[in-house]
Amino acid sequence: MTATSHPDDLQETPTRLQSLDALRGFDMVWIMGLEPVFHELAKATHWPVFEWMSTQLIHPDWNGFRFYDLIFPLFLFMAGVSTPFSVGSALQKGVSRNKLLLRVVKRGLILVLLGIIYNNDGLHLTPISELRFGSVLGRIGLAYMFAGIVYLYAAERWLIFWFWSFIIGYWLILMFGSAPGFPAGDLTMAGNFASYADRCLMPGKLYLGIHDPEGLFSTIPAISTGLLGILTGLTLKKTGLPQMKKVWRMVMVGVILIALAWIWNLVFPINKNLWTSSFVLNVGGISLLLMALFYYIIDVKGYTKWAFFFKVIGMNSILIYMIKKFIDFNFANSALFGWLHQLLGGPFNLVVAACTYLLIKWMFLYFMYQKKVFLRV
């Protein structure tokens, strides 16, 4: 496949895509501290709506899908969306593909390193056998890197080809392969081929002993999650396409992908642990619908003030993910608001404690935002 320039109608967008920052903040706020708020509300009230929401914020044991499964792939999808606005713009300004390749690879490997640091509480001397190399940031870094390489050297139509190739190829491998001693197509934790490959290939320890949800082999279909984000970014960047057509295109493709996901689920279950192909389509479709919603409200209609809370988070998403390993926000919460938690008493004091914990983290990010300090990778 030869290197091909991207279409001429892809011109640099003059302003930052505000909806992308807001959606990234919406994604991160759940693991930043909003999740415990709903868990505590469910315990305090026993209201069915809060109990249902609390359940949605717990990963299923193996097969199935809950809202919490969306947070990780949505972030990877958005990393893909931003690629045409960053790497693509540099390409149009005349920066060589080889130079951009080094930039993409460097960013991917830095995320892998940050993931190792996060998992192992720093880089203190630890035997390799005790280190966990698989990580959320590592999965994002590798999938972003390979998707970015495809983007750099492929025309837009070939991006679609590679999107389907990775998930169909992964499906065929898992359907016709298995761990030794298991029947072909076994998708249990012990018997599936992806987990077996990780046990053979990955150094250190796996998260669940025989399986790692951020393993190396299941990064293959995750590349398609990144590619779907890149294709979405290319659509959003097209100056010749009316904004509402962009919205409807995202909605239409999103609905189609979700429908295909649940059909595929009948033979290849939706499973975040294995990042199955049906999972890619399901979270990809939902990500497209959310991107369409945020883009319509913020960039098309111009309603931006309500999203400031999320924007502050989204512009420093890597920082708030990493910083809890270095700053004890629980101590700060007790020191600043312990009196309030004790004053309230009863079951709702934990709800308030969860809310003030989230508030402290947001105020920290707001301070960084005011000082224009952002952690970029």
Side-chain angles (χ1 to χ4, degrees):
M1 186 165 52
T2 57
T4 309
S5 297
H6 293 291
D8 293 333
D9 60 345
L10 298 183
Q11 300 171 2
E12 185 176 359
T13 301
T15 58
R16 187 182 182 97
L17 200 60
Q18 296 187 65
S19 55
L20 188 59
D21 286 327
L23 181 56
R24 191 181 290 112
F26 169 80
D27 190 40
M28 287 300 299
V29 73
W30 298 97
I31 56 176
M32 187 178 109
L34 187 56
E35 170 205 348
V37 172
F38 285 98
H39 289 319
E40 297 302 336
L41 277 170
K43 294 175 187 176
T45 65
H46 297 291
W47 291 2
V49 62
F50 290 135
E51 291 182 337
W52 176 81
M53 293 181 74
S54 177
T55 301
Q56 286 297 309
L57 293 171
I58 302 172
H59 294 300
D61 292 333
W62 194 243
N63 293 333
F65 179 79
R66 290 176 184 158
F67 173 78
Y68 211 43
D69 296 339
L70 176 66
I71 293 171
F72 179 6
L74 177 58
F75 194 92
L76 174 54
F77 169 85
M78 288 185 288
V81 174
S82 67
T83 300
F85 292 89
S86 54
V87 177
S89 295
L91 190 63
Q92 290 170 343
K93 291 175 181 177
V95 180
S96 70
R97 280 184 169 80
N98 289 339
K99 187 173 183 179
L100 291 172
L101 172 64
L102 290 176
R103 183 190 300 179
V104 168
V105 171
K106 179 182 176 182
R107 186 184 188 202
L109 294 181
I110 289 175
L111 286 171
V112 172
L113 178 60
L114 289 176
I116 295 172
I117 294 172
Y118 181 90
N119 278 353
N120 301 284
D121 296 321
L123 289 177
H124 52 274
L125 292 176
T126 304
I128 290 180
S129 60
E130 295 299 316
L131 290 175
R132 181 184 170 221
F133 286 86
S135 68
V136 169
L137 290 179
R139 166 67 57 82
I140 292 171
L142 291 175
Y144 158 83
M145 182 177 72
F146 287 112
I149 292 171
V150 174
Y151 168 73
L152 278 173
Y153 293 97
E156 186 173 346
R157 63 183 180 276
W158 282 103
L159 297 181
I160 300 172
F161 166 81
W162 283 111
F163 168 82
W164 289 105
S165 294
F166 285 125
I167 57 176
I168 291 175
Y170 184 71
W171 170 53
L172 292 175
I173 291 171
L174 263 64
M175 284 295 96
F176 291 100
S178 66
F182 291 85
D186 191 296
L187 295 177
T188 63
M189 186 181 296
N192 76 86
F193 182 81
S195 297
Y196 168 69
D198 288 340
R199 293 195 291 270
C200 295
L201 298 174
M202 291 186 69
K205 63 181 180 180
L206 304 184
Y207 185 64
L208 297 175
I210 61 172
H211 168 77
D212 198 308
E214 284 80 53
L216 190 61
F217 198 83
S218 55
T219 299
I220 295 171
I223 298 171
S224 290
T225 302
L227 285 173
L228 182 62
I230 290 174
L231 287 163
T232 304
L234 286 169
T235 297
L236 290 170
K237 201 179 174 202
K238 288 183 178 178
T239 55
L241 189 65
Q243 287 182 315
M244 283 308 300
K245 283 192 176 181
K246 295 175 184 179
V247 172
W248 284 115
R249 182 176 294 184
M250 287 187 285
V251 170
M252 180 178 65
V253 175
V255 170
I256 291 172
L257 290 184
I258 293 171
L260 290 175
W262 287 95
I263 294 171
W264 210 343
N265 175 64
L266 299 175
V267 293
F268 196 30
I270 293 173
N271 183 310
K272 176 188 175 292
N273 273 277
L274 293 175
W275 212 279
T276 54
S277 306
S278 53
F279 175 77
V280 171
L281 295 187
N282 190 53
V283 296
I286 298 172
S287 297
L288 277 165
L289 294 181
L290 285 172
M291 188 73 246
L293 177 64
F294 275 66
Y295 178 74
Y296 173 73
I297 295 174
I298 296 172
D299 291 302
V300 177
K301 302 302 290 184
Y303 300 128
T304 59
K305 291 182 179 179
W306 70 275
F308 180 73
F309 174 83
F310 296 123
K311 181 181 177 181
V312 168
I313 302 169
M315 293 187 71
N316 244 330
S317 53
I318 298 295
L319 175 64
I320 198 59
Y321 184 81
M322 292 292 298
I323 202 68
K324 67 180 180 181
K325 291 293 182 177
F326 305 97
I327 295 179
D328 189 349
F329 286 102
N330 284 313
F331 174 80
N333 192 21
S334 298
L336 292 174
F337 296 106
W339 61 273
L340 179 60
H341 308 155
Q342 294 177 0
L343 180 64
L344 289 171
F348 284 96
N349 67 327
L350 294 179
V351 176
V352 176
C355 291
T356 53
Y357 175 80
L358 176 60
L359 175 63
I360 288 173
K361 277 191 164 184
W362 189 86
M363 291 303 296
F364 167 77
L365 288 180
Y366 179 69
F367 174 78
M368 303 299 280
Y369 177 86
Q370 290 287 83
K371 297 297 182 180
K372 301 189 185 320
V373 177
F374 306 105
L375 178 61
R376 305 294 189 199
V377 177

